[in-house]
Amino acid sequence: MQKRLVRYIEDRSRIFSAMSHDLKTPITRLRLRAEMLEDEEQRRRFEKDLKEMEAMVSESLEFMRGLEGKLNRQPVDIMALLESLQADHAEMGHPVGIEGKAVAPFPGDAALLKRCLGNLVDNAIRYGQRATVIVDDRAESLTLRIQDEGPGISELEREKVFEPFYRIEASRSRDTGGTGLGLSIARNIVERHNGAITLQNRPSGGLEVAVNLPRIVAPGPAFT
């Protein structure tokens, strides 16, 4: 049964990768045609739609890739990873604060953890103007809390936002530039590390995303 499940995931990923690759060619052609439009406003709208399509194709492929393969576990310097994200956003004028400290490297997949935390920090800035990452490192687990100063998310929406392509209308909408996959990708990565991710609104305003990663690795399925 497990082998069939692994094969199913791998086959689905290969099909999706092929589809994503094939979609990029017509998008490129459309971009070239858009550049020839004389109406500047029409060209701007056309290019905005194409940019959104490219982002959706790219993030969809990233999401599917996250479902396959084994974790490349190694000691990860969480503070260095966070400081790298902080520096990247500082170059764009986006404030990212870091509080607390990881006392020891975390045994995880460095590339996936960076993608996960990068998505969460991106979301915090996109919807809440700034991000603060609070690090709480203990013997049994590492907890990272990403806080923003945005409108928060209603209790009824907090599970739905993890669904691929799900969007909250109003402030958390397509106009902000998201594709609706950031939280789905983040949760997939956290769960592959046997962890959990939760959302809650802060009493002072804004959203807090809590990522809890156990330091003691429990046995799991072969494909995780």
Side-chain angles (χ1 to χ4, degrees):
M1 179 65 183
Q2 190 178 91
K3 289 182 179 179
R4 289 175 59 190
L5 180 59
V6 173
R7 187 168 62 250
Y8 167 74
I9 293 174
E10 290 176 345
D11 288 346
R12 188 175 65 171
S13 297
R14 280 194 292 269
I15 292 170
F16 198 87
S17 296
M19 290 175 60
S20 297
H21 179 270
D22 290 344
L23 280 171
K24 289 180 181 179
T25 301
I27 288 176
T28 301
R29 288 201 301 265
L30 288 171
R31 183 174 294 282
L32 292 173
R33 291 172 184 171
E35 292 175 356
M36 294 186 287
L37 291 174
E38 295 182 0
D39 188 310
E40 185 175 342
E41 179 62 18
Q42 287 291 336
R43 183 170 64 250
R44 185 189 65 79
R45 292 180 179 179
F46 209 97
E47 289 176 346
K48 180 182 177 182
D49 288 343
L50 286 172
K51 184 177 180 180
E52 182 180 317
M53 289 173 63
E54 286 180 321
M56 291 184 70
V57 169
S58 177
E59 290 198 23
S60 296
L61 181 57
E62 182 179 305
F63 177 69
M64 294 304 298
R65 283 173 176 165
L67 297 177
E68 61 182 357
K70 293 184 178 180
L71 293 180
N72 179 25
R73 285 191 182 271
Q74 57 184 307
V76 179
D77 186 335
I78 292 296
M79 299 311 296
L81 189 156
L82 291 174
E83 288 165 3
S84 173
L85 292 174
Q86 183 184 50
D88 290 343
H89 282 285
E91 292 179 358
M92 297 181 285
H94 301 154
V96 176
I98 301 174
E99 299 178 9
K101 186 176 181 179
V103 297
F106 178 80
D109 188 306
L112 290 181
L113 288 174
K114 185 171 184 178
R115 184 183 304 165
C116 169
L117 295 174
N119 284 353
L120 297 178
V121 169
D122 286 348
N123 274 0
I125 291 172
R126 181 178 294 124
Y127 303 118
Q129 290 73 58
R130 63 177 294 116
T132 300
V133 184
I134 300 173
V135 183
D136 182 9
D137 195 4
R138 305 189 182 191
E140 68 280 1
S141 66
L142 171 68
T143 301
L144 302 161
R145 295 183 175 86
I146 298 89
Q147 300 179 342
D148 67 36
E149 298 178 2
I153 297 177
S154 71
E155 188 173 354
L156 293 175
E157 302 272 17
R158 288 178 203 164
E159 182 60 29
K160 293 180 180 179
V161 294
F162 286 109
E163 298 174 6
F165 300 111
Y166 183 84
R167 294 173 182 276
I168 297 177
E169 296 304 324
S171 61
R172 291 176 180 261
S173 68
R174 206 172 246 116
D175 291 337
T176 60
T179 61
L181 277 173
L183 285 175
S184 299
I185 292 171
R187 182 164 72 171
N188 175 264
I189 292 171
V190 170
E191 290 181 345
R192 290 185 65 193
H193 284 81
N194 301 309
I197 181 170
T198 57
L199 310 178
Q200 68 174 3
N201 290 336
R202 300 165 59 207
S204 59
L207 182 72
E208 177 179 279
V209 182
V211 173
N212 183 267
L213 300 168
R215 284 191 170 278
I216 300 174
V217 180
F223 61 88
T224 61

